[in-house]
Amino acid sequence: MIRVGEAGYRTVIGAAGAADPLTSYVSAEIHQASGMLMVQLGISIEAALARLRAYAFAEGRSLADVAHAVVERTLDLRDDDR
């Protein structure tokens, strides 16, 4: 079963009713990257998540991949003009 949370993230629910740990980790990393952008850019958390999603879409990358790069500090969206 797939459950969609309030932020639009999908969580895969296993047979025992527990969320997949990898999915939870990815979701946490997306939230962490959003928080980092919020502070770096001085924008709302909603705008930060939208910026992550827009960058991922424009570059043909997954949201999880972009979030991971932001958290690892290998991608800096402060200078991005999108």
Side-chain angles (χ1 to χ4, degrees):
M1 172 171 44
I2 297 177
R3 187 178 299 160
V4 178
E6 65 182 65
Y9 301 122
R10 288 179 285 167
T11 302
V12 178
I13 305 299
D20 175 17
L22 180 59
T23 303
S24 296
Y25 174 78
V26 169
S27 181
E29 197 166 48
I30 291 169
H31 286 293
Q32 184 176 359
S34 297
M36 289 174 68
L37 285 180
M38 179 183 75
V39 172
Q40 290 170 353
L41 302 174
I43 58 178
S44 70
I45 194 71
E46 295 86 3
L49 179 58
R51 191 172 181 106
L52 282 174
R53 287 180 170 166
Y55 184 88
F57 178 79
E59 296 296 319
R61 295 169 65 178
S62 72
L63 179 58
D65 181 46
V66 171
H68 181 75
V70 169
V71 171
E72 291 293 315
R73 294 186 167 97
T74 58
L75 176 62
D76 186 351
L77 297 181
R78 288 179 289 192
D79 297 328
D80 187 50
D81 289 333
R82 288 175 230 235

